[in-house]
Amino acid sequence: MLIARFAYNRLSLADLYDAARDSVGTTGMLFMILAAAAMFGHVIAVLGLPRQLVELTTALGIGPITFMLAVMAMIFLLGMFLETISIILITTPIVLPVMLLLEINPVWYGVLLTINLELALITPPVGMNLFVIKGITGGAMGPIVRGVLPYVAIMLVTLFLVLFFPELALWLPSTMALGR
């Protein structure tokens, strides 16, 4: 702040006030999301949804790849309408018990989740990065969406490659000497 104020003479008290006000608004929004997610997690636990999902997975004999395909499809659909933090907070309490049952590597899931959430950031109608690009360029949304379609295709291919070849995500972590 001192460099911006005195070296570049570009930070006024009004700018500082605006930045602080925006930060408080953003922080408040995030805390509201966290509070709602905590309540949602509690309701899910009380209803026993994770236990029921584990029982259903066991009864149907669903394997890890099939389960991960279903979870990635669900996250892709949620990503079209929700933001990434909400998706993580909503899905984790439901998905984690089944992942543990199916012995799914959490690093693999984390990589898949990250790719899928990044995909959500450029997928309409809520893709937040689309609105960032619109705000920076001032362009219409139609050309912006058409411009990101090749990236959507590349990310989908990457998602399926990592899904069907977990070694792509797990090779580097397996080389690390953890616990030595």
Side-chain angles (χ1 to χ4, degrees), residues 88-165:
I88 292 170
L89 293 174
I90 289 170
T91 59
T92 301
I94 299 169
V95 170
L96 187 62
V98 181
M99 281 179 43
L100 295 175
L101 171 77
L102 296 174
E103 298 178 357
I104 293 173
N105 188 313
V107 173
W108 179 47
Y109 173 74
V111 171
L112 288 169
L113 180 66
T114 302
I115 294 169
N116 215 340
L117 292 177
E118 290 300 321
L119 185 59
L121 290 173
I122 61 172
T123 307
V126 181
M128 297 200 10
N129 285 352
L130 298 175
F131 292 101
V132 170
I133 294 168
K134 181 177 175 36
I136 291 171
T137 64
M141 191 59 83
I144 293 170
V145 170
R146 283 190 295 280
V148 301
L149 287 178
Y151 297 100
V152 170
I154 291 168
M155 291 177 85
L156 282 171
V157 168
T158 304
L159 183 67
F160 282 107
L161 282 173
V162 173
L163 180 64
F164 290 109
F165 302 102

Side-chain angles (χ1 to χ4, degrees), residues 1-25:
M1 290 186 333
L2 293 175
I3 292 172
R5 174 67 187 120
F6 295 112
Y8 296 110
N9 199 22
R10 293 199 178 170
L11 183 66
S12 67
L13 286 176
D15 293 334
L16 190 59
Y17 175 78
D18 289 342
R21 189 184 68 232
D22 290 346
S23 295
V24 167

Side-chain angles (χ1 to χ4, degrees), residues 18-34 83 85 128:
D18 289 342
R21 189 184 68 232
D22 290 346
S23 295
V24 167
T26 302
T27 303
M29 177 190 68
L30 288 174
F31 277 118
M32 291 299 289
I33 291 170
L34 288 172
E83 57 169 6
I85 295 171
M128 297 200 10

Side-chain angles (χ1 to χ4, degrees), residues 29-108:
M29 177 190 68
L30 288 174
F31 277 118
M32 291 299 289
I33 291 170
L34 288 172
M39 288 188 292
F40 180 74
H42 179 70
V43 168
I44 286 174
V46 168
L47 292 174
L49 189 61
R51 179 186 43 76
Q52 292 172 358
L53 191 57
V54 166
E55 290 171 1
L56 178 66
T57 303
T58 305
L60 294 176
I62 294 175
I65 295 292
T66 306
F67 176 75
M68 291 303 288
L69 269 171
V71 169
M72 290 302 117
M74 176 187 67
I75 289 173
F76 181 77
L77 290 174
L78 287 174
M80 292 181 173
F81 304 103
L82 298 174
E83 57 169 6
T84 57
I85 295 171
S86 301
I87 294 170
I88 292 170
L89 293 174
I90 289 170
T91 59
T92 301
I94 299 169
V95 170
L96 187 62
V98 181
M99 281 179 43
L100 295 175
L101 171 77
L102 296 174
E103 298 178 357
I104 293 173
N105 188 313
V107 173
W108 179 47

